[in-house]
Amino acid sequence: LKTTIPDLVKVNTIKNLVGSSLSGSIGGNNAHSSNLVTAFFIATGQDPAQNVVSSNCMVIMEPLNDSTELHVSVTMPSIEVGTVGGGTSLHSQKACLSMLGVAGASRENPGENSKKLAEILSATVLAGELSLNAALASNNLISAHMDLNRKPASAESQSTNESPQNSVTSTKSSFSQNTQVRSLFSLSKRKKSISVDSNGQFLDPQLPVP
């Protein structure tokens, strides 16, 4: 994951717990659970509109054994899934449910397949949360977006016949010039903030925010 356990725990606390609380989020103590839930719902024939309720998620990361091990958990109290009816009968979606071993109803224990599907969704969200928080902790998220930017070349780039690679380089150069960027979120009304520079490196939180 290209990061350390202490850094992962720190990012989770600052972003997912403190940051989400300060922003007024209800049930949103996570990095991007809704992304995973929406994709999972579409693939397995669930109702995508229920993403709002089903994405409630709290991520906890705890260091163990002198930070040599990491315990990660997700708590998702309101997942709404099913394995019968609706989109679950569509060919592709039913195939996905079959691969997961939860297609249709459980004849032995009614509701058991839905329970298993919810557990699989929770595991999927946990993996996604671990991945994104690691990218944030290692400061690779911004650089990855800049290097792998898929946006079309700007009109200016097209007029000068720049290649896609040159276009990305130009974008990175213009971004690096903006050294006064302060991002992420405010930690208090006193304008203390978590800030990053153009390379995605954390800056001194005591610096004044413009």
Side-chain angles (χ1 to χ4, degrees), residues 63-115:
L64 302 175
N65 298 327
D66 295 325
S67 294
T68 59
E69 297 178 1
L70 177 67
H71 179 267
V72 185
S73 66
V74 295
T75 302
M76 304 181 71
S78 51
I79 295 177
E80 298 183 7
V81 293
T83 59
V84 178
T88 64
S89 61
L90 298 174
H91 179 74
S92 296
Q93 282 68 21
K94 189 173 183 179
C96 287
L97 291 171
S98 296
M99 286 190 291
L100 297 174
V102 294
S106 171
R107 296 184 180 277
E108 294 78 15
N109 299 297
E112 184 66 20
N113 283 354
S114 294
K115 180 181 177 180

Side-chain angles (χ1 to χ4, degrees), residues 181-184 193-197 201-205 207 209:
V181 171
R182 295 293 184 271
S183 66
L184 299 187
S193 66
I194 297 299
S195 307
V196 297
D197 61 17
Q201 301 296 319
F202 283 101
L203 301 176
D204 187 344
L207 291 177
V209 178

Side-chain angles (χ1 to χ4, degrees), residues 6-84:
D7 284 346
L8 269 172
V9 173
K10 182 178 180 180
V11 166
N12 184 66
T13 300
I14 293 175
K15 174 178 170 54
N16 294 339
L17 302 182
V18 177
S20 295
S21 297
L22 288 175
S23 68
S25 175
I26 299 176
N29 299 109
N30 58 81
H32 70 149
S33 66
S34 62
N35 288 338
L36 285 309
V37 172
T38 301
F40 191 96
F41 271 24
I42 293 174
T44 58
Q46 309 304 307
D47 182 359
Q50 302 308 314
N51 167 56
V52 177
V53 173
S54 299
S55 293
N56 286 338
C57 174
M58 175 175 284
V59 181
I60 300 296
M61 296 189 183
E62 302 171 286
L64 302 175
N65 298 327
D66 295 325
S67 294
T68 59
E69 297 178 1
L70 177 67
H71 179 267
V72 185
S73 66
V74 295
T75 302
M76 304 181 71
S78 51
I79 295 177
E80 298 183 7
V81 293
T83 59
V84 178

Side-chain angles (χ1 to χ4, degrees), residues 108-153:
E108 294 78 15
N109 299 297
E112 184 66 20
N113 283 354
S114 294
K115 180 181 177 180
K116 289 182 179 179
L117 185 62
E119 292 174 348
I120 295 170
L121 172 56
S122 298
T124 302
V125 170
L126 189 151
E129 288 290 319
L130 182 59
S131 176
L132 179 54
N133 280 283
L136 290 169
S138 62
N139 291 321
N140 285 329
L141 186 64
I142 294 177
S143 60
H145 276 79
M146 298 306 298
D147 291 339
L148 305 175
N149 192 344
R150 294 185 178 182
K151 292 181 179 179

